[in-house]
């Protein structure tokens, strides 16, 4: 069976929203003006992102301030608006005809003053069972609203990022929990899409260390493990060859 990819974030999110993983999924909807108004009154900070985007391209962050003014961030630019209509006009001009999502914003934990999130990789192993392979963190570049390495983000180990907040045994427990979450996501998405072989979960920890699944990539980068986690990389490559990623 050929390797299956699902690029629409909305399709994957909608499936997970209807499972026991729901509590880890930030509230997400297809963008339109009234949904943005609704979401901003509920969450104050939301992400507006392309349904099929990659590398953090086109990702925006909208915030409602106490004085009912609004702010939009994109890249390192910031725009201010006096009304939500002005905000929507600006967002629409950026979106054009593309499909966009609006998602509850997660206030990420920081390391040395930089936001970070985590990438959990799971793969179908040689026995065609989902297996958790490796976790790394990505620390955002200064003043960026995304953590993507292609946007200046830096890879860090989970233990480096969490050491200021927890002891070693709690970090191991967190690692187990995140891997378990990855395996459950694999199980749920596989029920809807046969042929999935590898998944990269983007997970944010909020200020109370609660994990949130921002998105699930069906074609995660694997070369990054070569230097970051060589022993995992050997197993990752072995699996990938077996399911025909390189054909
Ligand atoms: N709801 C959210 N709350 C906080 N930060 C978010 C949220 N959604 C996205 N981000 C930040 O923006 C980054 C990019 O968003 P996302 O991963 O959804 O799209 P993408 O990176 O363009 O897709 P891909 O990872 O497939 O290339 C995330 O890694 C994260 O740093
Ligand atoms: Mg991503």
């Amino acid at each position: 069976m050929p390797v299956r990819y699902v690029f629409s974030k909305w399709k994957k999110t909608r499936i997970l929203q209807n499972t026991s993983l729901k509590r880890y999924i930030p509230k997400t909807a297809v963008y339109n003006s009234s949904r943005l108004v609704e979401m901003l009154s509920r969450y104050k900070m939301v992400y507006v992102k392309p349904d099929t985007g990659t590398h953090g391209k086109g990702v925006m962050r909208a915030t409602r301030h106490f004085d009912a003014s609004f702010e939009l961030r994109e890249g390192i630019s910031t725009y201010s608006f006096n009304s939500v209509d002005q905000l929507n006009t600006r967002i629409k001009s950026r979106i054009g005809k593309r499909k966009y999502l609006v998602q509850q914003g997660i206030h990420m934990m920081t390391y040395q003053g930089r936001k970070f999130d985590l990438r959990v990789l799971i793969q179908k192993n040689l026995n065609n069972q989902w297996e958790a392979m490796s976790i790394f963190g990505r620390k955002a570049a200064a003043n960026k609203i995304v953590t993507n390495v292609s946007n200046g983000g830096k890879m860090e180990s989970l233990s480096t990022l969490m050491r200021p907040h927890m002891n070693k045994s709690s970090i191991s427990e967190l690692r187990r929990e995140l891997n378990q979450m990855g395996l459950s996501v694999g199980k749920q998405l596989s029920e809807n899409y046969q042929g999935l072989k590898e998944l990269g979960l983007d997970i944010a920890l909020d200020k109370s260390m609660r994990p949130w699944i921002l998105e699930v990539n069906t074609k995660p980068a694997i070369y990054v493990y070569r230097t970051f986690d060589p022993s995992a990389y050997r197993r990752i490559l072995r699996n990938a060859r077996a399911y025909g990623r390189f054909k």
Side-chain angles (χ1 to χ4, degrees), residues 84-102:
V84 76
D85 288 344
Q86 287 171 1
L87 171 67
N88 264 318
T89 303
R90 167 78 198 187
I91 291 176
K92 280 187 181 150
S93 77
R94 302 294 294 145
I95 292 180
K97 295 212 172 324
R98 288 169 293 175
K99 182 171 182 175
Y100 258 68
L101 305 181
V102 50

Side-chain angles (χ1 to χ4, degrees), residues 9 49 53-56 59 117-119 138 146-148 200-203 214-217:
K9 293 180 203 291
K49 54 190 186 180
T54 55
H55 307 308
V59 175
D117 62 9
L118 307 169
R119 168 57 67 89
R138 299 174 303 188
V146 300
T147 55
N148 304 67
L201 282 70
D202 286 345
I203 296 184
L214 301 181
E215 68 146 339
V216 181
N217 295 273

Side-chain angles (χ1 to χ4, degrees), residues 9 12 26-27 45-50 52-59 61 103-108 115-117 119 138 140 145-148 150 200 202 204 213-219:
K9 293 180 203 291
K12 292 173 278 190
K27 180 91 172 107
M45 191 270 279
V46 301
Y47 271 68
V48 180
K49 54 190 186 180
T52 54
T54 55
H55 307 308
K57 269 193 295 237
V59 175
R61 187 182 76 184
Q103 185 172 62
Q104 171 187 358
I106 305 304
H107 295 273
M108 291 183 197
K115 287 196 292 286
F116 71 83
D117 62 9
R119 168 57 67 89
R138 299 174 303 188
I145 60 162
V146 300
T147 55
N148 304 67
S150 50
D202 286 345
I213 302 172
L214 301 181
E215 68 146 339
V216 181
N217 295 273
T218 56
K219 201 177 185 183

